[in-house]
């Protein structure tokens, strides 16, 4: 069975400006040197002493510099890990996010789990994605495809494109029952975090599913032999705690082999992506989002003066709901 390849998305690199007026001058001057002048070496010089003296913003910024290899001799993830850790242990949230991810990159999976869990609970999509791959593979943690699916659903809802593509690929290995449980668990996580709720799984209103929504979801029992492990390549999350964002181009995701199309079953369900008075706009929309629906076919249904964009097939309403997470607007429709 071919490996399921995933790669975590990278976003804009940012730096922290100081939160305290007493510490403002050297840290702020460093951010200005980095952003406005491109003088990375000067920025690192300005941050180093405050970082050594315990300033968490300066420590976080040094971690960013070592991660990028700017203002320092070369990229150095070991040094980035040291500085992220110092800031994270002081409660610097963004440093904590980066620390968990760089631990994973540096092969310290067991140490990474607790930090990834904290970040995932807060809604950090890269942490959710990486932790989901660990549960999918049984990498350091006990294999749990229900939890893996729930985490990657959450990452997908946050807009991480690799997570959206991963959901379609995971359909090949995870049973419909486990995917429904995964959606229920994802909803529990989102409600706990006071975030928008996810689409309900099929049959959400019946007694069985209502009980599942209020009780802890158990790990999937005796999962089928799975695919080869997912190599989740990650970039530390790059977010700003205060105000100043560094002007830099996003890092490009690493190339990955094309994934096999998911197994397509026709249970009589499709999704409608929109209705357009101009048929050309309907085709334009499909050209923009077709990559989010691997293995599915599009139909342009004429109804009066409108052209509907219909995509499918899907084996169940739950599968159609899952597909709709990747694109808005999107509505499951039965035949």
């Amino acid at each position: 069975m071919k490996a399921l390849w995933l790669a975590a998305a990278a976003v804009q690199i940012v730096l922290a400006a100081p939160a305290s007026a007493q510490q403002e001058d050297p840290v702020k001057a460093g951010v200005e040197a980095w952003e406005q002048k491109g003088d990375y070496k000067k920025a690192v010089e300005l941050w180093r002493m405050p970082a050594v003296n315990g300033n968490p913003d300066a420590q976080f910024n040094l971690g960013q510099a070592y991660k990028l290899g700017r203002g320092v001799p070369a990229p150095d993830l070991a040094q980035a890990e040291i500085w992220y850790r110092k800031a994270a242990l002081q409660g610097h949230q963004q440093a904590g996010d980066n620390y968990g991810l760089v631990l994973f990159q540096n092969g310290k999976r067991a140490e990474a789990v607790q930090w990834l869990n904290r970040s995932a609970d807060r809604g950090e999509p890269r942490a959710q994605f990486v932790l989901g791959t660990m549960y999918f593979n049984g990498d350091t943690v006990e294999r749990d495809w229900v939890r893996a699916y729930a985490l990657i659903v959450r990452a997908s809802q946050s807009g991480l494109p690799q997570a959206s593509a991963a959901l379609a690929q995971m359909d090949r290995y995870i049973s419909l029952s486990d995917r429904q449980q995964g959606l229920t668990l994802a909803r529990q996580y989102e409600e706990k975090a006071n975030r928008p709720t996810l689409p309900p799984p099929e049959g959400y209103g019946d007694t069985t599913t209502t009980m599942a929504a209020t009780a802890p979801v158990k790990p999937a029992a005796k999962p089928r032999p799975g695919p080869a492990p997912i190599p989740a390549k990650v970039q530390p999350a790059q977010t700003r705690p205060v105000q100043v964002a560094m002007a830099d181009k996003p890092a490009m995701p690493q190339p990955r082999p094309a994934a096999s199309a998911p197994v397509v079953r026709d249970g009589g369900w499709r999704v409608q992506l929109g209705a357009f008075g101009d048929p050309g706009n309907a085709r334009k929309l499909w050209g923009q989002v077709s990559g989010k629906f691997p293995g599915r076919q599009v139909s342009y249904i004429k109804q009066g003066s409108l052209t509907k964009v219909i995509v499918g097939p899907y084996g169940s309403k739950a599968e159609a709901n899952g597909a709709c997470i990747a694109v808005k607007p999107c509505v499951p429709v039965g035949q």
Side-chain angles (χ1 to χ4, degrees):
M1 190 176 295
K2 291 186 178 180
L4 177 61
W5 290 90
L6 306 175
V11 296
Q12 186 178 35
I13 304 291
V14 297
L15 300 171
S20 167
Q22 289 183 329
Q23 301 169 338
E24 183 174 354
D25 288 345
V27 183
K28 182 177 181 180
V31 173
E32 291 174 350
W34 184 289
E35 283 194 323
Q36 299 175 14
K37 302 176 183 178
D39 192 343
Y40 307 126
K41 185 176 180 179
K42 180 66 173 178
V44 169
E45 291 173 354
L46 288 165
W47 292 329
R48 192 168 297 279
M49 187 56 68
V52 170
N53 290 335
N55 182 299
D57 287 337
Q59 291 167 344
F60 172 70
N61 287 350
L62 275 187
Q64 296 288 67
Y66 277 109
K67 186 267 171 186
L68 287 170
R70 291 182 176 175
V72 295
D76 189 336
L77 289 182
Q79 281 294 313
E81 178 186 321
I82 289 171
W83 290 109
Y84 287 146
R85 174 179 171 81
K86 288 178 182 293
L89 290 177
Q90 295 193 70
H92 196 291
Q93 190 173 102
Q94 290 77 12
D97 294 339
N98 285 22
Y99 181 53
L101 292 168
V102 82
L103 282 172
F104 180 89
Q105 282 185 286
N106 288 341
K108 301 177 181 179
R109 307 291 175 83
E111 296 176 50
V113 171
Q114 63 171 316
W115 293 94
L116 292 171
N117 268 310
R118 292 178 190 178
S119 298
D121 287 345
R122 287 198 302 269
E124 213 295 322
R126 288 153 207 80
Q128 292 165 348
F129 179 86
V130 173
L131 197 58
T133 66
M134 294 176 75
Y135 278 112
F136 184 85
N137 294 331
D139 179 3
T140 308
V141 295
E142 183 178 355
R143 176 176 286 181
D144 186 340
W145 284 357
V146 169
R147 185 164 297 181
Y149 198 77
L151 286 163
I152 293 181
V153 162
R154 295 185 74 201
S156 172
Q157 190 189 44
S158 296
L160 196 65
Q162 286 80 358
S164 299
L167 288 177
Q169 298 175 43
M170 290 172 74
D171 285 350
R172 301 178 59 216
Y173 306 108
I174 301 179
S175 69
L176 175 60
S177 174
D178 286 348
R179 295 198 301 275
Q180 289 176 323
Q181 289 186 66
L183 286 171
T184 297
L185 181 57
R187 184 179 306 102
Q188 292 174 5
Y189 286 146
E190 294 294 284
E191 289 173 351
K192 183 178 178 181
N194 294 319
R195 289 161 57 89
T197 57
L198 297 158
E202 185 176 15
Y204 182 71
D206 64 30
T207 304
T208 301
T209 311
T210 302
M211 292 175 61
T214 57
V217 178
K218 297 180 180 179
K222 297 181 180 179
R224 293 177 290 138
I230 302 170
K233 301 177 182 179
V234 300
Q235 297 282 351
Q238 297 131 359
T239 49
R240 58 187 285 181
V242 198
Q243 296 184 13
V244 183
M246 189 194 87
D248 196 2
K249 294 182 179 179
M252 295 300 293
Q254 295 295 316
R256 56 193 173 94
S260 302
V263 175
V264 176
R265 296 178 293 109
D266 190 349
W269 285 90
R270 308 289 190 274
V271 297
Q272 179 177 325
L273 303 183
F276 299 87
D278 182 351
N281 288 336
R283 297 181 184 277
K284 182 179 179 180
L285 172 66
W286 178 244
Q288 294 171 343
V289 303
S290 59
K292 298 181 182 294
F293 299 91
R296 312 298 171 173
Q297 297 179 348
V298 64
S299 300
Y300 302 101
I301 307 300
K302 190 74 173 177
Q303 186 173 45
S305 62
L306 298 177
T307 299
K308 296 182 178 180
V309 182
I310 306 294
V311 179
Y314 292 93
S316 67
K317 184 178 179 181
E319 287 188 351
N321 273 329
C324 276
I325 293 172
V327 173
K328 299 295 179 185
C330 177
V331 179
V333 292
Q335 289 186 341

